[in-house]
Amino acid sequence: IRSISDSAKFYLVTCEPGAEIYERFGHSGIRVYDSNNNIDNVFHWGLFSFDTPNFIGRFISGNTDYEMGVYSTNVFLTQYIERGSTIYAQELDLTPEQKHFIWAKLWDNYRPENRKYRYNFIYDNCATRPYQLIISAYDHKVTLFDNLQPTTYRSIINKYVPVGSPFNTGINLIIGSDADKNITTQKSIAFPMYTKDALNYA
């Protein structure tokens, strides 16, 4: 693992949603920029194979394996720029110790035996993974203010996936009875655009 300097900068990167079903909720990653060591990479948890049998069905039902990837920032951002998605970068307020902690954890996550995981819309995805890593650097002592508008999983899903479509119906069925319960800011971090807003007020 290459070392980073104490002056390295870390960002939560959030990309607005796209048109494909697997793009509908947006995407998150962690950018590490260290000019002293010529490092500028985005670590994200959004790689998957289209060759998976019944990919869309498995995706909707939460039975798809995803992997963590590491891209140069330019390569990562290009695909979102080309599809017209706005990209947000929130710089994290970290001590040198916290920066080195996240840097080591990112590369540990990228080890071949660790990089694959079972994607889940609510509990384990491209937004929850960077969020959990970030708050672990603060020893989980992060306060999320519940000042966002009260919402439910169904309301969020309906916002991004057309009501009445098979995708919308399938996702809501998978969530089940929890779909209409009011959720906290903590639970909304499953969705990238909400993760961005939650950390903005943390």
Side-chain angles (χ1 to χ4, degrees):
I1 301 174
R2 296 171 62 187
S3 61
I4 58 168
S5 67
D6 290 350
S7 61
K9 296 181 182 296
F10 287 68
Y11 304 84
L12 175 69
V13 176
T14 306
C15 306
E16 285 190 332
E20 301 293 338
I21 181 59
Y22 50 84
E23 301 171 338
R24 287 293 175 91
F25 298 105
H27 193 37
S28 301
I30 295 176
R31 179 192 181 193
V32 182
Y33 175 67
D34 184 1
S35 58
N36 292 336
N37 289 297
N38 196 31
I39 292 171
D40 192 2
N41 293 325
V42 174
F43 297 76
H44 71 109
W45 288 260
L47 298 181
F48 56 85
S49 173
F50 284 109
D51 295 331
T52 302
N54 188 28
F55 171 77
I56 296 298
R58 292 174 66 87
F59 175 82
I60 292 173
S61 62
N63 291 313
T64 303
D65 287 331
Y66 269 51
E67 288 190 16
M68 179 193 189
V70 184
Y71 288 3
S72 74
T73 296
N74 283 339
V75 170
F76 177 84
L77 296 182
T78 295
Q79 58 187 313
Y80 298 99
I81 293 171
E82 288 179 347
R83 80 181 191 196
S85 293
T86 299
I87 304 158
Y88 303 86
Q90 295 166 285
E91 185 174 356
L92 305 175
D93 185 11
L94 301 167
T95 65
E97 291 76 18
Q98 289 170 324
K99 293 176 183 180
H100 291 285
F101 172 85
I102 292 180
W103 181 244
K105 285 291 187 181
L106 286 169
W107 285 111
D108 182 62
N109 246 219
Y110 191 61
R111 292 166 63 93
E113 64 270 27
N114 295 335
R115 68 180 63 162
K116 183 176 290 188
Y117 71 101
R118 178 56 55 94
Y119 176 93
N120 183 283
F121 280 108
I122 305 301
Y123 304 110
D124 200 356
N125 58 44
C126 73
T128 62
R129 291 240 161 181
Y131 171 79
Q132 293 296 339
L133 179 52
I134 289 167
I135 67 167
S136 70
Y138 295 98
D139 197 25
H140 296 272
K141 295 175 181 176
V142 173
T143 299
L144 297 180
F145 293 98
D146 281 317
N147 61 347
L148 304 179
Q149 291 292 324
T151 190
T152 64
Y153 286 131
R154 192 186 304 279
S155 295
I156 295 175
I157 292 164
N158 290 351
K159 180 178 178 180
Y160 295 111
V161 183
V163 176
S165 70
F167 300 140
N168 181 288
T169 302
I171 294 169
N172 276 302
L173 284 174
I174 293 301
I175 296 175
S177 60
D178 287 336
D180 292 307
K181 294 178 181 178
N182 283 337
I183 60 173
T184 62
T185 299
Q186 174 69 47
K187 290 186 176 181
S188 73
I189 59 96
F191 303 91
M193 303 305 294
Y194 286 76
T195 314
K196 173 181 73 69
D197 290 342
L199 285 183
N200 201 44
Y201 296 102

